[in-house]
Amino acid sequence: MHYGGDYNPEQWTEEIWHEDVARMREAGVTMVSLGIFAWSRLQPAEGEFDFAWLDRVIDLLHEGGIAVDLATATASPPPWMHERYPEILPVTAEGVTLGPGSRQHYAPSSPVYRRLAAELVTALVERYADHPAIVMWHVNNEYGCHLHADYSDNARDAFRAWLRERYGSVDALNDAWGTAFWSQRYTSFDQVLPPRAAPYSHNPGQLLDFRRFTSDMLLECYLMEKEIIRAAGATQPITTNFMGAFKPANYQEWAEHMDVITDDAYPDPDDPESFRDAAFQRDLMRSLKPGTPWLLMEQVTGALNWRPTNAPKAPQQMAALSMQCVGRGADGVLFFQWRQSRAGAEKFHAAMLPHAGTGTRIWREVTELGAQLGSLPELPSGGADARVALVMDWESWWAVESPDHPSNVLDYVAVLQRWYRALHRRHVMVDIVPPERVTADAYDLAIAPALYLLRAGGAEALSTFVAGGGHLLAGPFTDVVDERDAFLDGGFLTRLGPALGVTIEDFGALAQPGGTGQSEAPLAGPFGTVAGTLLAEEVVLRGATPVATFAGGRRDGDPALTEHAHGEGTGWYLATVPDEQGADALAGWALDRAGIAPVLEGLPVGVEAAQRGSVVTVINHGSEPAVVDVAGRDLLRGEPVTEVHLDAFGYALVDTAASDTATPDAAR
Ligand code: GAL
């Protein structure tokens, strides 16, 4: 179990470094991410490097037994760079150049930025590749975090090259984008621009490709650094830190290039349900690279600085959320940052070592958590043996949130999270995967909400899943367009129709609550009467039978949920987006029908259960004490148990396969 945080020694004097290492040992820190924003200190001028200080820090950490995740420091270019090369700066769609003075002020496609980043990384890796303290390379930081897209001339040139590569000819591009519409037909790639500010809607194919391009440019930066590190002979794992469901970067594509998935997560402690969305994020990370552990690279010990209002974490909440990561496959928990800054934009951001020092609750909790993580035996590797797949797809996300749709207020991740929360309340383990990863061997139930853009391979996988015995619950606005964001011949649900036994004639957008027009579509079925939102589609039965019908509104009496036997499996189609209670009822019904067992039954509200191989983690996110029946070896207390008592934010990790597992009778 790795434990530690971002360490920014360049903000402190050498005297403090010595104290830091001593305190890190006291806190049980095993690893720090070093020098993430140290470029201006490492390279005071072009061609001039200063590594002497970093040598001393790394040696000091090494002597103290603290391993180093060495950052390449390329996320915040130093002032000399924009002074000499202003063309590295990114530009917004409106043509505003984003200046320096913050961080991430570089155009990812800028050849000058890339050359200078490569020079820094080359110098760093040549110096430290063999240093025994270095256990991992931390490339850049949160690619795309503040700069979601760049529209500069660098981007323009790179976008044209990217499109040439993708389409080969301008005719193929015209065909893919449907440029016959609105007189957009190009006769040369040199006429194509990033989707900069325009009088009205952009071409959807162009928007989608620009999203792909933006993700690819960031990934190219990562791969450039990774290749430099490997070429220098470094053998340590290489990673960059993700940000959960982060729209600009297609992590499902990026994952294969990460030796370890690492993630940064900042759930809002003011939101009593945010632990479920945090669990969604952990499960997404675990699902990106199945069977391998992942690391929580950043979280906060207490209050943040960047929300409009920044509530502190409640006592023990930080430890509870840390154990949620461990229970869901993480092999380490780290923080931003080790020592609270004295100056700068993040001085109010809590840290492992607070500004107020070691006599604080945060410090006590930090040292306790370090000791607990250090006491854990090796846990089963990442897998959760989930039998439920929640289908999430970045390209579909990009396309479904493009403008000019029947409903332009559909928030893709919010819809996914609503389903996820329903499954989480039922203590069922879930993998979050693209459609191509859904197989009947791996899963019994797949839920695919709003899978608007469906690639041929994804359609094939989902159909084969049903034919092979799986239960597919497809939500509305699914299988509408192909990978170009264009309709296919033959209407909608053209690929999944046979497995679902329905087609769609109209999407039936609903008004937003409080607006004029019908905003809710009640549906009645075996799960009771629940509310649908956003869409109430007109379903045409092509072999399926209705399980639930709309009860009122413009689709009164029409099918709202249908069922179709296909091969050995079942295809369900849901013609509306259920609200929170609706998703809850429907998820319960679908889980029953698919025969999915929870990790544990009968848990009090607010108690979470997660499975990692034979280890069951239970966490009480509520404020009332709870007792949970679970038999096995309590790994933190080192004793056999048949039940565990959890105070507010209390947790237990129970190995249910341990040889000294107590039986309920023996324990009595
Ligand atoms: C992350 C970033 C850190 C720090 C942190 C604050 O986005 O990687 O450097 O800024 O947020 O919460």
Side-chain angles (χ1 to χ4, degrees):
M1 278 295 151
H2 296 288
Y3 189 56
D6 284 17
Y7 184 36
N8 301 307
E10 69 277 12
Q11 296 178 14
W12 303 97
T13 60
E14 273 199 60
E15 208 188 337
I16 301 275
W17 302 349
H18 288 267
E19 189 199 320
D20 281 335
V21 174
R23 292 290 184 208
M24 285 176 192
R25 291 171 62 86
E26 208 177 308
V29 166
T30 64
M31 179 171 80
V32 292
S33 301
L34 184 61
I36 292 177
F37 292 103
W39 196 344
S40 67
R41 180 77 187 265
L42 291 168
Q43 194 179 12
E46 188 173 358
E48 190 186 318
F49 293 100
D50 175 7
F51 291 125
W53 68 277
L54 191 62
D55 290 351
R56 294 200 295 282
V57 177
I58 293 180
D59 288 344
L60 208 61
L61 288 162
H62 188 52
E63 282 157 27
I66 313 284
V68 173
D69 165 35
L70 187 58
T72 61
T74 52
S76 194
W80 56 259
M81 200 186 295
H82 66 261
E83 184 187 31
R84 185 152 181 196
Y85 305 107
E87 68 271 30
I88 65 146
L89 296 173
V91 177
T92 67
E94 291 71 30
V96 177
T97 300
L98 298 176
S102 177
R103 61 177 175 184
Q104 289 202 341
H105 46 285
Y106 61 90
S109 52
S110 155
V112 176
Y113 165 77
R114 289 189 184 188
R115 172 174 66 78
L116 293 165
E119 282 174 21
L120 172 65
V121 179
T122 305
L124 263 172
V125 72
E126 276 171 1
R127 195 171 186 96
Y128 299 112
D130 298 327
H131 198 294
I134 316 297
V135 295
M136 187 153 72
W137 292 89
H138 186 105
V139 173
N140 198 280
N141 192 65
E142 293 189 340
Y143 274 110
C145 174
H146 310 296
L147 185 77
H148 292 184
D150 166 45
Y151 299 79
S152 66
D153 288 350
N154 289 301
R156 176 201 60 199
D157 297 346
F159 189 39
R160 289 173 183 167
W162 184 93
L163 290 168
R164 246 191 214 102
E165 173 80 22
R166 184 173 174 90
Y167 292 108
S169 74
V170 79
D171 283 348
L173 174 123
N174 281 315
D175 187 45
W177 289 4
T179 55
F181 184 76
W182 281 352
S183 178
Q184 292 171 350
R185 191 168 169 276
Y186 297 102
T187 53
S188 154
F189 282 105
D190 292 339
Q191 297 161 347
V192 185
L193 290 166
R196 293 173 175 165
Y200 186 44
S201 299
H202 280 285
N203 180 304
Q206 180 188 9
L207 288 177
L208 179 60
D209 273 342
F210 189 66
R211 287 247 176 228
R212 291 187 174 112
F213 160 81
T214 295
S215 179
D216 281 1
M217 286 306 101
L218 295 167
L219 181 59
E220 271 186 19
C221 288
Y222 170 80
L223 290 175
M224 175 192 81
E225 294 197 20
K226 185 178 179 189
E227 275 153 29
I228 293 169
I229 296 168
R230 281 285 172 258
T235 54
Q236 302 90 343
I238 303 173
T239 190
T240 186
N241 43 345
F242 288 171
M243 291 163 278
F246 177 66
K247 191 173 175 184
N250 183 344
Y251 291 155
Q252 287 168 333
E253 274 185 12
W254 286 45
E256 68 170 289
H257 306 291
M258 304 294 136
D259 295 328
V260 188
I261 300 290
T262 60
D263 189 43
D264 299 350
Y266 293 95
D268 185 355
D270 252 352
D271 173 356
E273 287 287 284
S274 68
F275 70 94
R276 300 196 202 277
D277 298 340
F280 169 88
Q281 186 164 339
R282 325 294 191 209
D283 284 355
L284 174 61
M285 290 301 123
R286 190 197 60 243
S287 306
L288 287 175
K289 242 184 146 71
T292 58
W294 60 278
L295 286 182
L296 182 73
M297 189 59 97
E298 284 185 26
Q299 62 170 342
V300 65
T301 54
L304 290 170
N305 63 298
W306 46 260
R307 287 204 171 93
T309 59
N310 295 287
K313 283 183 172 159
Q316 289 306 323
Q317 192 175 15
M318 174 271 280
L321 287 166
S322 302
M323 288 303 174
Q324 183 186 56
C325 299
V326 174
R328 293 178 182 275
D331 268 4
V333 173
L334 291 91
F335 295 86
F336 176 82
Q337 60 179 333
W338 159 251
R339 182 187 276 273
Q340 188 169 359
S341 297
R342 178 168 286 168
E346 295 181 324
K347 62 182 177 297
F348 283 102
H349 192 295
M352 298 176 82
L353 180 50
H355 179 65
T358 53
T360 50
R361 171 173 66 77
I362 284 186
W363 178 253
R364 276 195 304 282
E365 290 186 13
V366 162
T367 53
E368 274 165 27
L369 178 61
Q372 285 190 338
L373 291 172
S375 76
L376 281 175
E378 196 174 322
L379 298 180
S381 82
D385 302 325
R387 299 301 301 171
V388 180
L390 182 61
V391 179
M392 171 174 182
D393 188 86
W394 252 262
E395 294 200 325
S396 196
W397 181 5
W398 293 336
V400 81
E401 291 183 2
S402 213
D404 304 307
H405 286 168
S407 172
N408 292 306
V409 295
L410 189 150
D411 175 337
Y412 182 64
V413 170
V415 172
L416 288 174
Q417 287 184 328
R418 192 178 298 167
W419 281 105
Y420 180 88
R421 286 194 293 267
L423 299 164
H424 187 267
R425 281 187 206 103
R426 292 180 153 70
H427 315 293
V428 164
M429 290 305 285
V430 181
D431 285 347
I432 301 166
V433 295
E436 287 83 353
R437 288 253 311 273
V438 176
T439 66
D441 285 346
Y443 304 109
D444 299 315
L445 172 63
I447 301 180
L451 192 57
Y452 163 75
L453 178 153
L454 186 57
R455 293 173 297 274
E460 173 73 30
L462 292 177
S463 303
T464 309
F465 168 71
V466 180
H471 298 74
L472 172 65
L473 174 56
F477 218 44
T478 286
D479 187 10
V480 180
V481 297
D482 63 11
E483 71 284 354
R484 303 170 309 173
D485 198 356
F487 293 156
L488 292 100
D489 288 341
F492 306 109
L493 284 175
T494 52
R495 283 82 50 84
L496 294 183
L500 297 168
V502 293
T503 59
I504 296 303
E505 226 169 273
D506 178 69
F507 298 104
L510 298 171
Q512 285 190 274
T516 39
Q518 183 187 341
S519 64
E520 271 199 0
L523 57 151
F527 38 78
T529 299
V530 300
T533 67
L534 297 171
L535 301 167
E537 294 181 332
E538 187 176 343
V539 173
V540 181
L541 300 175
R542 297 257 191 262
T545 48
V547 176
T549 47
F550 285 114
R554 70 166 88 98
R555 299 261 187 264
D556 189 26
D558 289 351
L561 173 68
T562 60
E563 175 165 333
H564 185 56
H566 177 73
E568 291 168 38
T570 306
W572 292 310
Y573 189 77
L574 179 62
T576 184
V577 179
D579 70 0
E580 190 87 16
Q581 291 77 27
D584 223 55
L586 277 151
W589 174 83
L591 288 169
D592 275 358
R593 288 288 312 275
I596 310 280
V599 176
L600 290 176
E601 308 220 30
L603 295 176
V605 181
V607 173
E608 154 175 24
Q611 177 113 35
R612 175 174 179 170
S614 59
V615 174
V616 169
T617 300
V618 282
I619 305 171
N620 182 7
H621 297 277
S623 49
E624 295 301 314
V627 182
V628 173
D629 290 333
V630 52
R633 183 172 182 78
D634 184 327
L635 295 177
L636 291 170
R637 290 160 195 88
E639 59 191 28
V641 291
T642 55
E643 60 178 31
V644 291
H645 293 250
L646 308 173
D647 291 335
F649 298 112
Y651 45 80
L653 280 79
V654 179
D655 188 348
T656 56
S659 51
D660 60 351
T661 293
T663 59
D665 285 337
R668 264 181 221 124

